[in-house]
Amino acid sequence: MAEYIKLAEDKWMPSIYAFLHSLYNGIHLPSHDVNHHVRVWSYAKELLSHIYTKAPASCSFIEQALVGCMFHDTGLIVDHSERHGHHSKVLFEQFLSKYPQLALPNVEDTLYAIEHHDDKSLKQSAGFGVGTSHSLVDLVSSADDLDAFGRIGVYRYIEIYALRGIPVENIPAMVIPNLSNRFENFCCRFSNFSTLVETHRDRYLETKRFFEEADNQSAQDFIFSTDEFKIVNNMVEVLVNRQMDIKSAIVMGIMSGLSAGQVGYYMGLKEELGL
């Protein structure tokens, strides 16, 4: 399995990195930048390692998964809404035009997965299993969902929802159903892999608890709000209004945190991001 992944990465990653770094030059979108796409591909590799306990018959599905993960959210630089998948697909088509030597098997499946990965409504799924046929869009969507959990997931939600024009006080209540749908879909798709599901349940619950606490007092006077709501408010200010990079936002959060809870979140986020 590792050999097939390495073959796919050696073939695609140099050109993808060059294209994406050019694409994101001058773009301020720390929650959904190139690093986000790399993390999503890392989660996809984790999922693939469970699906393929033996070497797959070919490298084609792995190549499709890699490309889908590395392009799925690129359209957010054009459109911050849930319709960004269409623009992501267009950008991937531009990439293929620039690098015609990179032929992708079943390219229509990959284009579909890129365009429709962000449908987070609850849906029935046959689920993944060892040796079964696999849905590319479900794999890319699930890998993306896993990056929405944990402390990274918290700041991803805050930035993108603020960029969509959602008032700060409404963000927590808007996040919770979307977050729950992500995890329920993940559980359905990977019900055959109970250990995998349990591995990510705690990360999901951490994010869910954060936004539930933020929602508890977000409508009250800011002075008496929860640590979680104060973090939401601060993240909107530094990431969206002041357009700080995430490293600077974390440093400011640690320095200005007035409670152990606030400082603890930023320290944890720093660790998750490897900064």
Side-chain angles (χ1 to χ4, degrees):
M1 180 64 190
E3 179 183 354
Y4 284 79
I5 289 174
K6 186 177 187 306
L7 286 171
E9 290 179 334
D10 288 347
K11 175 181 176 180
W12 288 93
M13 280 304 204
S15 299
I16 288 177
Y17 276 132
F19 185 85
L20 293 189
H21 282 297
S22 174
L23 197 66
Y24 279 85
N25 185 36
I27 299 294
H28 181 267
L29 193 64
S31 65
H32 291 78
D33 59 4
V34 177
N35 292 325
H36 161 63
H37 291 85
V38 173
R39 291 195 304 270
V40 170
W41 169 233
S42 293
Y43 284 122
K45 288 190 284 187
E46 178 185 3
L47 300 179
L48 287 166
S49 71
H50 284 76
I51 296 166
Y52 292 120
T53 55
K54 298 180 180 179
S58 74
C59 199
S60 60
F61 189 75
I62 294 172
E63 288 188 37
Q64 291 174 278
L66 184 157
V67 170
C69 290
M70 292 303 295
F71 277 89
H72 72 285
D73 272 345
T74 54
L76 285 168
I77 69 173
V78 179
D79 183 350
H80 293 144
S81 78
E82 294 178 349
R83 298 182 297 275
H84 65 272
H86 168 73
H87 300 284
S88 300
K89 180 185 75 169
V90 170
L91 289 168
F92 175 55
E93 290 172 328
Q94 292 176 10
F95 169 82
L96 290 178
S97 296
K98 185 172 182 179
Y99 297 95
Q101 73 277 16
L102 292 173
L104 185 68
N106 304 313
V107 69
E108 291 301 323
D109 289 347
T110 308
L111 291 169
Y112 182 87
I114 291 171
E115 182 168 15
H116 297 283
H117 75 278
D118 202 40
D119 178 4
K120 304 305 179 185
S121 59
L122 286 176
K123 52 184 71 69
Q124 295 297 316
S125 173
F128 288 86
V130 177
T132 64
S133 59
H134 307 126
S135 164
L136 181 65
V137 67
D138 284 354
L139 180 74
V140 174
S141 183
S142 294
D144 181 42
D145 291 343
L146 293 181
D147 198 49
F149 304 155
R151 296 177 180 89
I152 288 175
V154 167
Y155 109 85
R156 276 188 58 203
Y157 268 116
I158 294 169
E159 184 188 35
I160 201 63
Y161 275 34
L163 287 172
R164 290 174 179 173
I166 298 172
V168 175
E169 62 271 18
N170 295 341
I171 288 176
M174 293 285 287
V175 167
I176 293 168
N178 180 279
L179 180 69
S180 296
N181 284 359
R182 287 177 187 257
F183 188 67
E184 288 188 41
N185 283 332
F186 178 69
C187 289
C188 181
R189 291 167 181 161
F190 290 91
S191 59
N192 292 317
F193 306 98
S194 58
T195 302
L196 177 67
V197 171
E198 292 308 310
T199 295
H200 292 289
R201 186 184 300 276
D202 288 344
R203 300 178 59 245
Y204 155 70
L205 290 174
E206 178 181 30
T207 313
K208 184 170 181 281
R209 283 192 292 265
F210 179 97
F211 284 110
E212 286 174 340
E213 288 299 314
D215 191 40
N216 280 341
Q217 296 185 10
S218 63
Q220 298 182 16
D221 190 301
F222 179 76
I223 295 175
F224 300 103
S225 291
T226 59
D227 285 340
E228 290 78 7
F229 181 69
K230 289 177 179 177
I231 291 169
V232 174
N233 190 77
N234 181 64
M235 279 290 194
V236 172
E237 174 60 26
V238 298
L239 289 179
V240 179
N241 297 339
R242 298 172 62 178
Q243 295 205 338
M244 281 186 172
D245 62 85
I246 188 59
K247 186 174 182 179
S248 298
I250 289 172
V251 170
M252 176 170 284
I254 293 172
M255 292 178 63
S256 62
L258 300 178
S259 72
Q262 293 174 53
V263 173
Y265 168 75
Y266 290 109
M267 292 293 290
L269 178 58
K270 179 181 179 182
E271 181 179 356
E272 283 191 15
L273 289 170
L275 297 176

